[in-house]
mmCIF file of all heavy atoms in Angstrom:
data_model
loop_
_atom_site.group_PDB
_atom_site.id
_atom_site.type_symbol
_atom_site.label_atom_id
_atom_site.label_comp_id
_atom_site.label_asym_id
_atom_site.label_seq_id
_atom_site.Cartn_x
_atom_site.Cartn_y
_atom_site.Cartn_z
ATOM 1 N N ALA A 38 -11.321 -1.571 -22.599
ATOM 2 C CA ALA A 38 -12.292 -1.109 -23.621
ATOM 3 C C ALA A 38 -11.464 -0.965 -24.926
ATOM 4 O O ALA A 38 -11.952 -1.208 -25.921
ATOM 5 C CB ALA A 38 -12.692 0.235 -23.180
ATOM 6 N N VAL A 39 -10.082 -0.712 -24.801
ATOM 7 C CA VAL A 39 -9.346 -0.586 -26.074
ATOM 8 C C VAL A 39 -9.164 -1.938 -26.804
ATOM 9 O O VAL A 39 -9.361 -2.107 -27.921
ATOM 10 C CB VAL A 39 -7.915 -0.118 -25.742
ATOM 11 C CG1 VAL A 39 -6.934 -0.332 -27.046
ATOM 12 C CG2 VAL A 39 -8.082 1.338 -25.384
ATOM 13 N N TYR A 40 -8.951 -3.040 -25.901
ATOM 14 C CA TYR A 40 -8.860 -4.361 -26.447
ATOM 15 C C TYR A 40 -10.216 -4.904 -27.076
ATOM 16 O O TYR A 40 -10.165 -5.515 -28.033
ATOM 17 C CB TYR A 40 -8.257 -5.318 -25.425
ATOM 18 C CG TYR A 40 -6.793 -5.124 -25.072
ATOM 19 C CD1 TYR A 40 -6.455 -5.327 -23.750
ATOM 20 C CD2 TYR A 40 -5.875 -4.535 -25.992
ATOM 21 C CE1 TYR A 40 -5.217 -5.037 -23.268
ATOM 22 C CE2 TYR A 40 -4.671 -4.350 -25.468
ATOM 23 C CZ TYR A 40 -4.308 -4.476 -24.126
ATOM 24 O OH TYR A 40 -3.033 -4.246 -23.874
ATOM 25 N N LYS A 41 -11.302 -4.563 -26.314
ATOM 26 C CA LYS A 41 -12.573 -5.171 -26.772
ATOM 27 C C LYS A 41 -13.301 -4.363 -27.796
ATOM 28 O O LYS A 41 -13.752 -5.034 -28.745
ATOM 29 C CB LYS A 41 -13.347 -5.345 -25.526
ATOM 30 C CG LYS A 41 -14.786 -5.990 -25.833
ATOM 31 C CD LYS A 41 -15.566 -6.165 -24.529
ATOM 32 C CE LYS A 41 -16.899 -6.973 -24.671
ATOM 33 N NZ LYS A 41 -17.615 -7.241 -23.654
ATOM 34 N N ARG A 42 -13.200 -3.017 -27.761
ATOM 35 C CA ARG A 42 -13.978 -2.208 -28.578
ATOM 36 C C ARG A 42 -13.196 -1.741 -29.829
ATOM 37 O O ARG A 42 -13.720 -1.715 -30.971
ATOM 38 C CB ARG A 42 -14.494 -1.015 -27.919
ATOM 39 C CG ARG A 42 -15.513 -1.335 -26.723
ATOM 40 C CD ARG A 42 -16.691 -2.197 -27.105
ATOM 41 N NE ARG A 42 -17.529 -2.505 -26.101
ATOM 42 C CZ ARG A 42 -18.648 -3.171 -26.221
ATOM 43 N NH1 ARG A 42 -18.992 -3.678 -27.301
ATOM 44 N NH2 ARG A 42 -19.393 -3.501 -25.136
ATOM 45 N N ILE A 43 -11.961 -1.314 -29.585
ATOM 46 C CA ILE A 43 -11.113 -0.756 -30.780
ATOM 47 C C ILE A 43 -10.417 -1.875 -31.538
ATOM 48 O O ILE A 43 -10.421 -1.961 -32.688
ATOM 49 C CB ILE A 43 -10.194 0.303 -30.227
ATOM 50 C CG1 ILE A 43 -10.911 1.400 -29.522
ATOM 51 C CG2 ILE A 43 -9.180 0.730 -31.294
ATOM 52 C CD1 ILE A 43 -10.096 2.530 -28.951
ATOM 53 N N GLU A 44 -9.639 -2.716 -30.789
ATOM 54 C CA GLU A 44 -9.037 -3.788 -31.438
ATOM 55 C C GLU A 44 -9.864 -5.058 -31.793
ATOM 56 O O GLU A 44 -9.453 -5.891 -32.489
ATOM 57 C CB GLU A 44 -7.766 -4.321 -30.551
ATOM 58 C CG GLU A 44 -6.691 -3.211 -30.376
ATOM 59 C CD GLU A 44 -5.487 -3.636 -29.631
ATOM 60 O OE1 GLU A 44 -5.534 -4.886 -29.281
ATOM 61 O OE2 GLU A 44 -4.669 -2.840 -29.223
ATOM 62 N N CYS A 45 -11.022 -5.057 -31.132
ATOM 63 C CA CYS A 45 -12.082 -6.149 -31.408
ATOM 64 C C CYS A 45 -11.416 -7.564 -30.991
ATOM 65 O O CYS A 45 -11.599 -8.510 -31.778
ATOM 66 C CB CYS A 45 -12.508 -6.146 -32.842
ATOM 67 S SG CYS A 45 -13.516 -4.671 -33.177
ATOM 68 N N ASP A 46 -10.632 -7.612 -30.121
ATOM 69 C CA ASP A 46 -10.063 -8.831 -29.519
ATOM 70 C C ASP A 46 -10.584 -9.286 -28.237
ATOM 71 O O ASP A 46 -9.988 -8.827 -27.216
ATOM 72 C CB ASP A 46 -8.531 -8.694 -29.547
ATOM 73 C CG ASP A 46 -7.860 -10.022 -29.347
ATOM 74 O OD1 ASP A 46 -8.457 -11.008 -28.956
ATOM 75 O OD2 ASP A 46 -6.569 -10.207 -29.684
ATOM 76 N N LYS A 47 -11.747 -9.896 -28.226
ATOM 77 C CA LYS A 47 -12.338 -10.290 -27.035
ATOM 78 C C LYS A 47 -11.498 -11.325 -26.193
ATOM 79 O O LYS A 47 -11.517 -11.109 -24.920
ATOM 80 C CB LYS A 47 -13.795 -10.950 -27.375
ATOM 81 C CG LYS A 47 -14.749 -9.814 -27.985
ATOM 82 C CD LYS A 47 -16.136 -10.607 -28.309
ATOM 83 C CE LYS A 47 -17.032 -9.593 -28.785
ATOM 84 N NZ LYS A 47 -18.426 -10.290 -29.090
ATOM 85 N N GLU A 48 -10.837 -12.027 -26.619
ATOM 86 C CA GLU A 48 -10.029 -13.144 -25.943
ATOM 87 C C GLU A 48 -8.902 -12.243 -25.205
ATOM 88 O O GLU A 48 -8.728 -12.656 -24.015
ATOM 89 C CB GLU A 48 -9.485 -14.136 -26.907
ATOM 90 C CG GLU A 48 -8.644 -15.272 -26.159
ATOM 91 C CD GLU A 48 -9.502 -16.134 -25.217
ATOM 92 O OE1 GLU A 48 -10.702 -16.159 -25.482
ATOM 93 O OE2 GLU A 48 -8.972 -16.655 -24.333
ATOM 94 N N LYS A 49 -8.276 -11.382 -25.866
ATOM 95 C CA LYS A 49 -7.133 -10.622 -25.355
ATOM 96 C C LYS A 49 -7.691 -9.745 -24.177
ATOM 97 O O LYS A 49 -7.170 -9.575 -23.014
ATOM 98 C CB LYS A 49 -6.486 -9.855 -26.272
ATOM 99 C CG LYS A 49 -5.330 -8.918 -25.790
ATOM 100 C CD LYS A 49 -4.563 -8.264 -26.930
ATOM 101 C CE LYS A 49 -3.350 -7.529 -26.411
ATOM 102 N NZ LYS A 49 -2.669 -6.819 -27.504
ATOM 103 N N ALA A 50 -8.952 -9.199 -24.441
ATOM 104 C CA ALA A 50 -9.510 -8.272 -23.399
ATOM 105 C C ALA A 50 -9.946 -9.133 -22.130
ATOM 106 O O ALA A 50 -9.860 -8.548 -21.068
ATOM 107 C CB ALA A 50 -10.776 -7.612 -24.009
ATOM 108 N N ARG A 51 -10.470 -10.330 -22.475
ATOM 109 C CA ARG A 51 -10.886 -11.198 -21.357
ATOM 110 C C ARG A 51 -9.673 -11.660 -20.478
ATOM 111 O O ARG A 51 -9.762 -11.658 -19.210
ATOM 112 C CB ARG A 51 -11.580 -12.515 -21.953
ATOM 113 C CG ARG A 51 -12.284 -13.369 -20.839
ATOM 114 C CD ARG A 51 -12.892 -14.581 -21.472
ATOM 115 N NE ARG A 51 -13.921 -14.275 -22.352
ATOM 116 C CZ ARG A 51 -13.881 -14.301 -23.691
ATOM 117 N NH1 ARG A 51 -12.904 -14.830 -24.112
ATOM 118 N NH2 ARG A 51 -14.933 -13.991 -24.464
ATOM 119 N N ASN A 52 -8.586 -11.954 -21.184
ATOM 120 C CA ASN A 52 -7.356 -12.381 -20.431
ATOM 121 C C ASN A 52 -6.840 -11.186 -19.575
ATOM 122 O O ASN A 52 -6.304 -11.345 -18.456
ATOM 123 C CB ASN A 52 -6.352 -12.979 -21.303
ATOM 124 C CG ASN A 52 -6.618 -14.280 -21.935
ATOM 125 O OD1 ASN A 52 -7.405 -15.054 -21.206
ATOM 126 N ND2 ASN A 52 -6.251 -14.580 -23.123
ATOM 127 N N TYR A 53 -6.837 -9.931 -20.236
ATOM 128 C CA TYR A 53 -6.321 -8.826 -19.596
ATOM 129 C C TYR A 53 -7.142 -8.542 -18.189
ATOM 130 O O TYR A 53 -6.501 -8.256 -17.201
ATOM 131 C CB TYR A 53 -6.366 -7.679 -20.406
ATOM 132 C CG TYR A 53 -5.784 -6.452 -19.875
ATOM 133 C CD1 TYR A 53 -4.408 -6.111 -19.788
ATOM 134 C CD2 TYR A 53 -6.642 -5.411 -19.302
ATOM 135 C CE1 TYR A 53 -3.967 -5.002 -19.250
ATOM 136 C CE2 TYR A 53 -6.156 -4.306 -18.710
ATOM 137 C CZ TYR A 53 -4.827 -3.964 -18.745
ATOM 138 O OH TYR A 53 -4.313 -2.922 -18.033
ATOM 139 N N TYR A 54 -8.428 -8.634 -18.400
ATOM 140 C CA TYR A 54 -9.218 -8.331 -17.347
ATOM 141 C C TYR A 54 -9.100 -9.427 -16.119
ATOM 142 O O TYR A 54 -9.107 -9.031 -15.053
ATOM 143 C CB TYR A 54 -10.780 -8.351 -17.684
ATOM 144 C CG TYR A 54 -11.785 -8.179 -16.604
ATOM 145 C CD1 TYR A 54 -11.879 -6.740 -16.077
ATOM 146 C CD2 TYR A 54 -12.524 -9.161 -16.115
ATOM 147 C CE1 TYR A 54 -12.759 -6.645 -15.097
ATOM 148 C CE2 TYR A 54 -13.467 -8.880 -14.992
ATOM 149 C CZ TYR A 54 -13.567 -7.651 -14.596
ATOM 150 O OH TYR A 54 -14.453 -7.444 -13.453
ATOM 151 N N PHE A 55 -8.838 -10.603 -16.670
ATOM 152 C CA PHE A 55 -8.859 -11.780 -15.661
ATOM 153 C C PHE A 55 -7.550 -11.519 -14.693
ATOM 154 O O PHE A 55 -7.604 -11.798 -13.487
ATOM 155 C CB PHE A 55 -8.715 -13.123 -16.275
ATOM 156 C CG PHE A 55 -8.672 -14.346 -15.427
ATOM 157 C CD1 PHE A 55 -9.922 -14.698 -14.786
ATOM 158 C CD2 PHE A 55 -7.534 -14.988 -15.198
ATOM 159 C CE1 PHE A 55 -9.908 -15.798 -13.826
ATOM 160 C CE2 PHE A 55 -7.470 -15.984 -14.336
ATOM 161 C CZ PHE A 55 -8.739 -16.504 -13.713
#
Side-chain angles (χ1 to χ4, degrees):
V39 169
Y40 293 146
K41 186 175 182 179
R42 301 298 181 184
I43 299 178
E44 298 183 4
C45 297
D46 192 342
K47 294 184 178 180
E48 184 66 23
K49 186 176 181 181
R51 188 182 300 110
N52 291 332
Y53 180 84
Y54 179 76
F55 183 78

